[in-house]
């Protein structure tokens, strides 16, 4: 490092004091001008263009078609180009679900952690901005010294050779400033701003995941309750059939083997209940945890399929809007921006750097003298540093930053591809779900009608036990399958909303984001378009 003194108090050949100050000020002003007008090295980030595709599936997007008009099942329609409402879960028209999501958004610790991460990133960015300004520090030192064979004795101190004792008080202010000639600090601030933006999108992603998980968990609870109810209906029917067989056995009209077979079928059906009840209890614990509460403080909301309405109109945003709205894609874009800025930081570290410094203060033998004329001093200096040989450390750091940018670009493309895959999967699932629900409803109705006939025949002694067992098993499977098919259709509807990125408003920033994201005005607007009808 080469140090170039701008001014010291013992340099009379520089001219009179005012001339020396003017020269120092002119040099500092010139360096500040260079810093302000200097260009930032490294690539200037530009957001990637949206993929040049027209849709999420090959060909024209067709709405789910359940097929034959009977049995009648609810229909759904894809509304291409419509925006997602902010409170998209309101489309299920469940006040209990709306209330639980509100509680979850208010109390879930994952969202609170994401908020704290944003504040950390913001303060780090503001701290880096502080390097745009001169750094000022002060210190005051008091010492008591003992000198041997001192030639000069402080005024007022007795001469006691060969040793002299005296006090020294030094007060000093130091100013340092590094002009951002190559934009190193500019790129560092750009990097931290991008990290802050990334954390904001991570909050949006956590919010979307939370709301989607609550909806999916509520649907799963409703499904379990439906399966339990269907199993209990089968158990009731099988008990009734067992009573018929026992009565016939008492009159000698049925064999004991038939009674035992029916008892075994009843026991098998009853065995299905405990696992379902266990899953239901665990599902309740999951919903309670999502709401930010302990398992002992269970939520009061209970969900069943009858109180969850299937949304009739499903908005499908355009592919370009998906890239601009889905939070994981935006977070990947922000990560790419941060990596781009890091390249500039690495390049700037290999270039010459200028540092300006100034020290001024006073030095006296006691505190009172430190404020009198003749005790002050100052130094102005500038230094230029240029790495000459560092074992290629800075070179490889630059190459690592460039490779990091390539990695971030690839991760961004992967996020976009995954997002399109998620939307395509949800659309295909919904198209198939409509037919699956219709088939399940038809199977359940047919199986129930068959079981009713068998029960009538059994009561009249006109059917064997094998036909009874087959009819019971068929109806049990059909009833449970119908419940699962309806729940899958609801879950896949929620999955479509999640895959499309939810409905986070673009202007939701800052500490009031909850009120913005959960605002009633957005819901009213969506209702007018018919999406929540």
């Amino acid at each position: 490092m080469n140090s170039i003194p701008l001014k010291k108090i013992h340099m009379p050949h520089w001219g009179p004091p005012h001339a020396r100050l003017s020269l120092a000020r002119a040099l500092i002003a010139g360096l500040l001008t260079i810093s302000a007008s200097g260009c930032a090295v490294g690539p200037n980030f530009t957001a990637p263009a949206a993929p040049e595709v027209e849709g999420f599936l090959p060909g024209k997007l067709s709405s789910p078609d359940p097929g034959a008009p009977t049995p009648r099942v609810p229909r759904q329609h894809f509304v291409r180009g419509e925006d997602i409402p902010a409170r998209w879960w309101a489309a299920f028209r469940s006040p209990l679900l709306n209330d639980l999501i509100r509680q979850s958004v208010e109390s879930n610790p994952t969202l609170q952690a994401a908020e704290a991460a944003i504040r950390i990133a913001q303060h780090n960015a503001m701290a880096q901005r502080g390097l745009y300004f001169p750094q000022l520090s002060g210190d005051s030192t008091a010492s008591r010294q003992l000198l041997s064979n001192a030639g000069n004795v402080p005024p007022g101190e007795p001469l006691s050779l060969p040793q002299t004792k005296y006090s020294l008080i030094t007060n000093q202010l130091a100013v340092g400033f590094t002009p951002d000639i190559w934009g190193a600090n500019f790129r560092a601030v750009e990097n931290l701003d991008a990290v802050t933006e990334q954390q904001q999108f991570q909050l949006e992603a956590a919010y979307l995941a939370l709301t989607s998980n609550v909806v999916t968990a509520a649907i799963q609870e409703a499904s379990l309750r439906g399966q339990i109810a269907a199993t209990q209906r089968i158990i009731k029917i099988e008990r009734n059939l067992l009573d018929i067989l026992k009565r016939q056995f008492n009159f000698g009209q049925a064999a004991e083997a038939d009674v035992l077979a029916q008892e075994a079928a009843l026991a098998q059906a009853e065995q299905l209940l405990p696992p379902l009840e266990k899953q239901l209890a665990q599902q309740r614990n999951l919903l309670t945890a999502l709401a930010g509460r302990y398992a002992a403080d269970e939520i009061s909301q209970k969900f069943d399929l009858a109180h969850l309405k299937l949304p009739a109109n499903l908005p499908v945003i355009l592919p370009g809007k998906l890239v601009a709205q889905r939070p994981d894609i935006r977070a990947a874009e922000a990560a790419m921006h941060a990596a781009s800025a890091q390249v500039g930081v690495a390049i700037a570290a290999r270039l010459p750097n200028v540092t300006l410094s100034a020290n001024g203060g006073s030095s006296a033998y006691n505190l009172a003298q430190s404020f009198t004329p003749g005790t002050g001093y100052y130094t102005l200096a500038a230094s230029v540093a240029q790495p000459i040989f560092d074992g290629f450390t800075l070179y490889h750091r630059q190459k690592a930053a460039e490779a990091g940018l390539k990695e971030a670009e690839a991760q961004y493309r992967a996020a976009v591809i995954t997002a399109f895959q998620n939307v395509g999967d949800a659309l295909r699932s919904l198209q198939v779900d409509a037919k699956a629900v219709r088939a399940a409803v038809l199977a359940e109705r047919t199986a129930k009608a068959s079981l009713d006939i068998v029960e009538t025949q059994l009561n009249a002694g006109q059917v064997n036990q094998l036909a009874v067992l087959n009819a019971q098993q068929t109806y049990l499977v059909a009833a449970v399958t119908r419940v699962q098919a309806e729940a899958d259709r609801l879950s896949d509807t929620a999955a479509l909303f999640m895959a499309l990125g939810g409905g986070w408003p673009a202007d939701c920033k800052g500490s009031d984001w909850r009120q913005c994201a959960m605002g009633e005005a957005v819901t009213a607007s969506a209702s007018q378009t018919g999406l929540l009808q």
Side-chain angles (χ1 to χ4, degrees), residues 70-84:
T70 55
R72 186 179 181 278
V73 298
R75 289 180 173 269
Q76 290 183 303
H77 303 279
F78 295 140
V79 185
R80 181 176 169 82
E82 284 286 353
D83 290 335
I84 310 297

Side-chain angles (χ1 to χ4, degrees), residues 271-329:
Q271 285 179 346
L272 298 176
L273 278 180
L276 291 174
E277 292 170 346
K278 173 185 174 182
Q279 293 179 50
L280 178 59
Q282 292 175 341
Q283 201 67 21
R284 298 288 296 167
N285 289 339
L286 173 59
L287 283 168
T288 301
L290 291 174
R293 300 163 68 169
Y294 296 102
D297 185 21
E298 186 178 270
I299 60 173
S300 60
Q301 296 88 350
K302 295 183 179 180
F303 299 96
D304 55 68
L305 293 177
H307 295 91
L308 290 170
K309 306 302 181 183
L310 184 71
N313 299 316
L314 301 178
V316 180
I317 60 178
L318 300 177
K321 186 67 178 293
L322 174 69
V323 175
Q325 177 168 311
R326 189 157 149 149
D328 58 337
I329 296 179

Side-chain angles (χ1 to χ4, degrees), residues 163-517:
Q163 292 181 322
T164 301
K165 297 179 181 180
Y166 68 95
S167 299
L168 185 65
I169 296 178
T170 302
N171 302 311
Q172 177 177 274
L173 288 177
V175 181
F177 179 63
T178 301
D180 196 22
I181 298 175
W182 310 111
N185 194 58
F186 176 84
R187 292 301 188 195
V189 170
E190 181 183 6
N191 168 266
L192 293 174
D193 283 343
V195 172
T196 302
E197 187 178 29
Q198 182 184 15
Q199 292 299 331
Q200 175 64 41
F201 292 127
Q202 294 286 10
L203 170 63
E204 295 182 20
Y207 168 84
L208 176 59
L210 173 64
T211 53
S212 300
N213 288 339
V214 171
V215 173
T216 303
I219 292 172
Q220 181 61 21
E221 178 184 325
S223 173
L224 290 170
R225 291 188 187 279
Q227 294 176 54
I228 290 174
T231 305
Q232 289 173 338
R233 288 198 306 272
I234 293 296
I235 291 174
K236 183 178 179 181
I237 292 173
E238 293 191 356
R239 283 177 179 165
N240 183 50
L241 295 176
L242 179 60
D243 291 339
I244 294 174
L245 285 171
K246 285 182 177 181
R247 186 170 60 251
Q248 291 178 347
F249 174 73
N250 292 334
F251 287 101
Q253 298 174 350
E256 183 178 7
D258 293 341
V259 176
L260 294 176
Q262 183 61 31
E263 288 180 345
L266 174 60
Q268 289 177 348
E270 290 175 337
Q271 285 179 346
L272 298 176
L273 278 180
L276 291 174
E277 292 170 346
K278 173 185 174 182
Q279 293 179 50
L280 178 59
Q282 292 175 341
Q283 201 67 21
R284 298 288 296 167
N285 289 339
L286 173 59
L287 283 168
T288 301
L290 291 174
R293 300 163 68 169
Y294 296 102
D297 185 21
E298 186 178 270
I299 60 173
S300 60
Q301 296 88 350
K302 295 183 179 180
F303 299 96
D304 55 68
L305 293 177
H307 295 91
L308 290 170
K309 306 302 181 183
L310 184 71
N313 299 316
L314 301 178
V316 180
I317 60 178
L318 300 177
K321 186 67 178 293
L322 174 69
V323 175
Q325 177 168 311
R326 189 157 149 149
D328 58 337
I329 296 179
R330 299 300 305 277
E333 179 184 326
M336 185 166 55
H337 190 177
S340 173
Q342 279 296 103
V343 175
V345 173
I347 294 174
R350 303 181 63 192
L351 300 175
N353 207 10
V354 176
T355 301
L356 306 177
S357 62
N359 294 292
S362 63
S363 181
Y365 296 114
N366 57 58
L367 183 61
Q369 290 180 353
S370 63
F371 297 100
T372 60
T375 61
Y377 67 90
Y378 66 87
T379 300
L380 297 177
S383 64
V384 179
Q386 168 63 56
I388 297 176
F389 180 75
D390 59 1
F392 298 102
T393 298
L394 296 178
Y395 169 79
H396 288 297
R397 286 178 179 171
Q398 177 184 338
K399 291 302 179 182
E402 292 171 351
L405 177 56
K406 294 292 184 182
E407 178 188 22
E409 291 172 348
Q411 290 173 342
Y412 172 82
R413 292 195 301 273
V416 174
I417 292 173
T418 301
F420 276 68
Q421 176 192 353
N422 295 155
V423 176
D425 289 346
L427 294 174
R428 286 298 192 201
S429 297
L430 287 169
Q431 289 174 338
V432 173
D433 287 343
K435 297 179 180 179
V437 170
R438 175 187 170 277
V441 171
L442 179 60
E444 182 185 26
R445 291 181 182 179
T446 305
K448 183 62 169 66
S450 175
L451 181 59
D452 291 342
I453 293 174
V454 169
E455 183 177 2
T456 302
Q457 292 175 340
L458 178 64
N459 199 29
Q462 299 174 352
V463 67
N464 59 39
Q465 183 59 23
L466 180 60
V468 175
L469 294 177
N470 288 337
Q472 291 174 160
Q473 184 63 27
T474 301
Y475 178 59
L476 173 61
V477 173
V480 172
T481 301
R482 191 267 307 166
V483 171
Q484 293 174 338
E486 291 182 351
D488 287 344
R489 198 178 188 191
L490 290 168
S491 296
D492 289 336
T493 299
L496 176 62
F497 282 114
M498 182 178 181
L500 293 172
W504 185 279
D507 57 349
C508 270
K509 305 292 182 183
S511 59
D512 60 345
W513 67 268
R514 283 182 174 82
Q515 289 75 15
C516 177

Side-chain angles (χ1 to χ4, degrees), residues 8-25:
K8 291 186 178 179
I9 58 175
H10 301 299
M11 284 191 175
H13 58 280
W14 274 28
H18 68 276
R20 283 179 274 154
L21 283 174
S22 298
L23 179 61
R25 289 169 180 165

